[in-house]
Amino acid sequence: ELKVEQNPLFLSMQEGKNYTIYCNYSTTSDRLYWYRQDPGKSLESLFVLLSNGAVKQEGRLMASLDTKARLSTLHITAAVHDLSATYFCAVDMDSSYKLIFGSGTRLLVRP
Amino acid sequence: DAGITQSPRHKVTETGTPVTLRCHQTENHRYMYWYRQDPGHGLRLIHYSYGVKDTDKGEVSDGYSVSRSKTEDFLLTLESATSSQTSVYFCAIRLPGANEQFFGPGTRLTVL
């Protein structure tokens, strides 16, 4: 059974600081996705990582995938308040195109 | 928003009543999914569909059934709602190529 674990589950950080969210998963997969969710809203796709060593960047967020370590990271550079949200990673479960989600990391960026 | 709508957006019902949630897409995507979101659990897959009349169970399918008689509509039914089914329900479609899923706006269901 594929399990996906995120840590930390809650992160309070000051504006301007850097931090990393971790996503570990338990079985082999080459495809990992990051989503953002604002309170009361739906999920918004952030990054699609499709191979070992994949790195994607958008603004202050950078995601990477190490399939050998079964680990993805979401790095936040010089955080700003607008990044406050909950971030989910999700892993593809074999070829059925089912996603297994982590529990989410709630990020709060303080002034 | 990949042309996904969900209805109703909010519903309050009583234990034991049947409830049907509707997901509608406008772009003929083959794969459609129903998830529920609860605090501390992320999103959990209830059922999914890979074509008209082709559906399969997810990890939390007990108490739920689905139907897909047309490409554009995927219905989720709670035959006899229970308080444990109080949740936010999201529908999603899978885009071809990158296997990325896009989500509808969600339905907040409260079972009293």
Side-chain angles (χ1 to χ4, degrees):
Chain A
E1 180 187 347
L2 175 59
K3 292 188 185 298
V4 181
E5 292 185 351
Q6 286 183 237
N7 67 83
L9 297 183
F10 177 70
L11 176 57
S12 178
M13 58 189 298
Q14 277 191 305
E15 279 191 328
K17 299 294 187 181
N18 304 332
Y19 208 81
T20 300
I21 298 170
Y22 297 88
C23 175
N24 292 88
Y25 55 98
S26 60
T27 62
T28 303
S29 177
D30 291 338
R31 297 185 295 272
L32 190 137
Y33 310 83
W34 284 96
Y35 289 87
R36 169 184 171 141
Q37 185 180 37
D38 292 303
K41 303 294 186 182
S42 185
L43 281 77
E44 172 191 353
S45 180
L46 288 177
F47 297 110
V48 177
L49 303 170
L50 298 178
S51 61
N52 186 42
V55 177
K56 296 280 184 74
Q57 183 162 6
E58 179 74 31
R60 301 173 188 275
L61 299 178
M62 183 175 71
S64 65
L65 178 61
D66 181 343
T67 59
K68 293 178 182 175
R70 298 175 187 170
L71 171 68
S72 180
T73 60
L74 181 65
H75 187 72
I76 304 152
T77 302
V80 294
H81 179 70
D82 285 352
L83 290 179
S84 296
T86 299
Y87 294 85
F88 292 94
C89 64
V91 178
D92 243 330
M93 185 170 168
D94 56 57
S95 60
S96 65
Y97 307 118
K98 293 187 285 188
L99 293 185
I100 303 298
F101 282 80
S103 299
T105 296
R106 185 177 163 218
L107 172 66
L108 175 63
V109 181
R110 307 186 314 271
Chain B
D1 62 358
I4 307 170
T5 57
Q6 292 184 232
S7 59
R9 295 292 313 280
H10 301 270
K11 186 171 182 66
V12 180
T13 191
E14 293 188 349
T15 297
T17 60
V19 176
T20 295
L21 308 182
R22 180 185 185 231
C23 177
H24 179 80
Q25 56 136 335
T26 59
E27 299 181 6
N28 289 319
H29 294 293
R30 181 182 171 194
Y31 285 81
M32 298 183 75
Y33 305 82
W34 276 108
Y35 294 89
R36 61 178 288 174
Q37 184 176 32
D38 305 289
H41 288 280
L43 272 76
R44 292 179 292 175
L45 181 65
I46 305 171
H47 282 279
Y48 70 104
S49 170
Y50 45 96
V52 172
K53 292 187 170 56
D54 291 324
T55 65
D56 205 350
K57 297 178 180 179
E59 60 180 310
V60 289
S61 59
D62 287 348
Y64 302 95
S65 63
V66 290
S67 66
R68 191 161 177 208
S69 58
K70 299 184 290 185
T71 300
E72 59 265 35
D73 288 325
F74 191 30
L75 304 181
L76 177 70
T77 297
L78 291 64
E79 301 290 348
S80 177
T82 67
S83 59
S84 65
Q85 293 176 311
T86 292
S87 188
V88 179
Y89 291 86
F90 287 100
C91 172
I93 56 95
R94 183 182 76 82
L95 296 187
N99 303 331
E100 194 175 1
Q101 291 186 16
F102 280 89
F103 288 80
T107 294
R108 182 173 295 276
L109 176 67
T110 302
V111 183
L112 301 176

